Amino acid sequence: MNNHELKLIAAKVRRHVLDAVHSAASGHPGGSLSISDILTLLYFEEMQNLDTQTPKNPDRDRFVLSKGHCSPALYGILAERGFFDKSLITGFRQTDCCLQGHPSLKDVAGVDMSTGSLGQGISAANGMALSAKLDGKDYRVYTILGDGECEEGQVWEAAMFAAHYKLDNLCAVLDFNGLQIDGNIADVMSPLPLDEKFKAFNWNVILVDAHDFDSLRSGFAQARVCKGKPSILIAKSVKGKGVSFMENNAGWHGNAPNDEQYAQAVSEIDAVIKELGGEI
Amino acid sequence: MADKKATREAYGEALAEFGGQYDIVVLDADLSKSTKTETFKKKYPERFINVGIAEGNMMSTAAGIATTGKVVFASSFAMFAAGRAFEQVRNSIAYPNLNVKIGATHAGVSVGEDGASHQAVEDISLMRTVPNMVVINPADAYEARGAVEAAIKHEGPVYLRFGRLAVPYVYDSGYQFELGKGVQLKDGGDVTIIATGLMVQEAVKAAQTLADEGISARVVNIHTIKPIDKDIIIKAAKETGAIVTAEEHSIIGGLGSAVAEVLSENYPAKMVRVGINDVFGKSGKPQCLLEEYGLTACNIAKQTKKLLGK
Ligand SMILES: Cc1ncc(C[n+]2csc(CCOP(=O)(O)OP(=O)(O)O)c2C)c(N)n1
Ligand SMILES: [Mg+2]
């Protein structure tokens, strides 16, 4: 897929993120907007054997959103990819809708793992990757981690495991947006340097720009050819990317925009969609 | 004054209030804005420690600080405090009987939109089984303040369960909290409704409804689930003959179970447990969820009538 098409899909995912959190009056826009481009490249280019008719196809590549609070972006991309109807998005977080606040495997087609408690998704991704090895299957497993999430000890237990069992069919992406709830990761509880830590844990570390499709594409390609080690793309990102007043602002971690803010945010995203020749 | 307040709000204020009098250190795991420990942090920044997103590490660190004689509060959501860090709480805090107070907020389904992954309905059960642990589940903001003070004065581990949702006041500012003592809020002769946390206000409303239908219900608030006030429970069974429990928690292992344990060994009586019936929660507005799971005055009244065969 060309970058222009990818950009358009990513903009639509961002629109879904805004619609979801605004209609729920709750949810996590910041970290959802920072991973919208990564998810777009994964679901429209990188991941293989996805079949919306058979979402549980055993040979499919898997994806685990380890930072499960960013479900609006996952639901946005799954809807764009055709796993369920886009009209569900505005039911997000409401009692009569399957789109749970955090991804739920048993409730939503296309969701490969239930997450929400930070640090656990990467271990589950390890389990899937290990199982592929046991079965002699060649599907790949992807997971997105938050940089704040890396403060959880379990992330490092999982990092050790993936390297120990040489899970080269596992590719993690670290959403390196520099923020967590209580502020900058460097101020709250620094997990830095993250690249050197993962290197020391014997991972193949690749630095990419989370909002540049060429950079992401090349990162995933490098991960694919690396044998004998798990790979991680450390993706420098902007929390709140695409909505000017949300960018790099920890206050938008887990707050929904009010009507006025929503209108402003939508106008910015819709302008991008229009500019790319898309329909709103 | 607003007519409602979340118990987590009162928790943060109480920490700030007592921070001057006592040698308190407060730990949080990247949730200080939500748990409201931020209120303490603003007043005593040097005694506030953010451990980052690392609840297990927080509990054992709290234990270490407590060995030096300080009163340590460790806060996170109930799911992560009692759930994820369970074993650190058991082995680092409770086993050595250290003076750590676990301030667990966002308990129960009234967490709302975050959904099942964040709705702890097992925490009372988990914490209650641990030796040395005191478990308190306050009903309103005044009781939350009293619980914090009592926890500070009590030597040893305490689990304090707070809610996210703003709840109406059950008490007034004169309320005196007494650790381990149930509170009779209304007398009655036909049945006793024993409630905890945000279900206390529902129990009071249910008793009013029942009164209109000619059923005289006693209402007892059990804020301290461990050690539980056996006397008030046994007395209720003797005098009213039937017991209804109400809690925003699983009916397995929580208040209902604790009351059943007391009754079955001392004075068996017919009873029914109102609570979460062995299921996970889900996303939705807190009020919708409380209704969906039957955590309402209406359902308490209904279950009471069923129990009494009326
Ligand atoms: C085990 C656990 N502890 C705490 C939380 C509450 N929480 C949700 S998001 C978040 C901050 C995450 O920061 P980061 O991983 O950097 O996410 P991002 O910036 O990408 O949104 C926290 C503490 C949680 N979901 N799970
Ligand atoms: Mg972050």
Side-chain angles (χ1 to χ4, degrees), chain B residues 37-53:
Chain B
T37 58
E38 194 182 40
T39 316
F40 176 89
K41 176 185 166 180
K42 282 185 182 143
K43 204 164 166 193
Y44 303 105
E46 69 291 347
R47 283 190 277 141
F48 174 85
I49 312 287
N50 203 327
V51 303
I53 311 167

Side-chain angles (χ1 to χ4, degrees), chain A residues 23-26 28 93-96 99-102 115-120 148-149 151-154 180-183 188-189, chain B residues 28-33 41 48 50-56 80 84 113-118 281-285 288-289 292:
Chain A
S23 50
S26 149
H28 301 78
R93 291 185 161 228
Q94 287 157 41
T95 33
D96 54 357
L99 301 182
Q100 295 301 296
H102 294 77
T115 51
S117 182
L118 294 168
Q120 302 187 18
E149 184 181 9
E151 295 160 7
E152 281 288 358
Q154 184 169 355
Q180 56 190 109
I181 297 181
D182 283 344
V188 176
M189 176 51 56
Chain B
D28 201 295
D30 193 32
L31 287 170
S32 64
K33 293 185 178 80
K41 176 185 166 180
F48 174 85
N50 203 327
V51 303
I53 311 167
E55 298 81 5
F80 311 126
R84 191 187 197 92
E113 292 86 348
D114 269 352
S117 61
H118 285 55
K282 65 177 189 179
S283 290
K285 297 242 176 307
C288 297
L289 295 175
E292 182 159 340

Side-chain angles (χ1 to χ4, degrees), chain A residues 65 68-71 74-75 100-105 111 113-116:
Chain A
L65 184 61
H69 57 284
C70 299
S71 55
L74 178 60
Y75 297 150
Q100 295 301 296
H102 294 77
S104 170
L105 161 68
V111 171
M113 184 60 200
S114 301
T115 51

